[in-house]
Amino acid sequence: MMKYDYLIVGSGLFGATFAYFAKQKGKRCLVIDKRPHLGGNIYCKKIEGINVHKYGAHIFHTSNKQVWNFVNSIVEFNRYTNSPVANYKGKLYNLPFNMNTFYQMWGVTTPEEAMAKIEEQKMKAVTKMYADGVTEPRNLEEQAQVLIGNDIYEKLIKGYTEKQWGRKCEELPAFIIKRLPVRLTFDNNYFNDKYQGIPIGGYNVLIERLLEGIETRLSCDFFVNRQELSTLADKIVFTGAIDEFYNYQFGKLEYRTVNFETEILNISNYQGNAVINYTDKEIPYTRIIEHKHFEMFGEEIEACPKTVISKEYSSEWIKGSEPYYPVNDKKNNTLYLKYKELARQEKNVIFGGRLAEYKYYDMHHIIEKVLNLSIQF
């Protein structure tokens, strides 16, 4: 039986990048995935010539030149710039909060006017808190109001957040919104990072090239054949849920999940933008993604006669659904620390990624983490 240096459980960005660097150092890797495809949550399904982000929109962004140069050495990235729009009861607002938003909200046209309006609203929120005998925000609602005021909170934050988390803002901890980006410029670029884009040809190209020449097994569930698989390699790289790895011995960690309602439409352009958030609570979905806008620009949009949209519905994670967002409240973080202590004692298991570390990661953070790990190979 062939012996590997690493058994990598999960072919998402962490697992695929780890395998790539391990191979560069002459290590033998076996990558397994319980899904019938590679790529984890960045997998794209081709529909009507459009790369559809099956597990939700993924936009690569970073200010780390080493990371940007690395991913572009694997596949060239396009010029996509994330500029989402919010739809509140049929009226559109630019995101993140910038001079376009403030003009749309209040009709102000200068940074001075915008700042005066924001400060006026923030002061009302602080005064109300003081009247209640408190000096620090007690929940997400108060935190948002002292950061940006009531108008933007009510129209662009409250409904979206309550749908996202399945709880009223008054019941959510303040730390979820520690700060809100406020730009006094007419700049709709959501990210402040120096670099951003989508791999030309889609994320599948990135994953396939990272795993080129590396043995992979799909529809292979680690927990079904754990004992046998664990004997195949000197070390395990585990990117799945850490509580499942330890058979939930301390209890289950909580997640939010997302359900997608995907439609093929017989028009070339449905909403004119990749991402539109629906921020009023009466609309059950949080946003609509029109996938072609990630990779098609200008005349390409009309040249593709159909379009594909996905409506996203946030809900509590239940067994059998995909865990997306860790619920990093005090209860869950305390539980995770118990699992983390078990993981710390492992000599031949490396835990990495969103599920294994119970932490939300942007894609560039995953690359950075593996780059740092690769020094130890």
Side-chain angles (χ1 to χ4, degrees), residues 102-118:
F102 306 141
Y103 173 74
Q104 291 152 351
M105 187 70 65
W106 300 310
V108 297
T109 57
T110 68
E112 184 178 14
E113 290 174 322
M115 205 62 231
K117 191 72 177 176
I118 292 168

Side-chain angles (χ1 to χ4, degrees), residues 46 57 103 113 133 149 204 237 252 301 328 334:
K46 185 82 78 174
Y103 173 74
E113 290 174 322
N204 293 0
V237 177
K252 292 184 178 180
I301 296 168
N328 290 120
T334 300

Side-chain angles (χ1 to χ4, degrees), residues 267-290:
I267 55 175
S268 61
N269 193 355
Y270 174 72
Q271 63 186 20
N273 204 47
V275 183
I276 295 189
N277 294 352
Y278 285 78
T279 59
D280 53 299
K281 200 171 183 182
E282 288 71 27
I283 301 291
Y285 42 84
T286 54
R287 62 183 185 175
I288 295 180
I289 305 299
E290 187 170 10

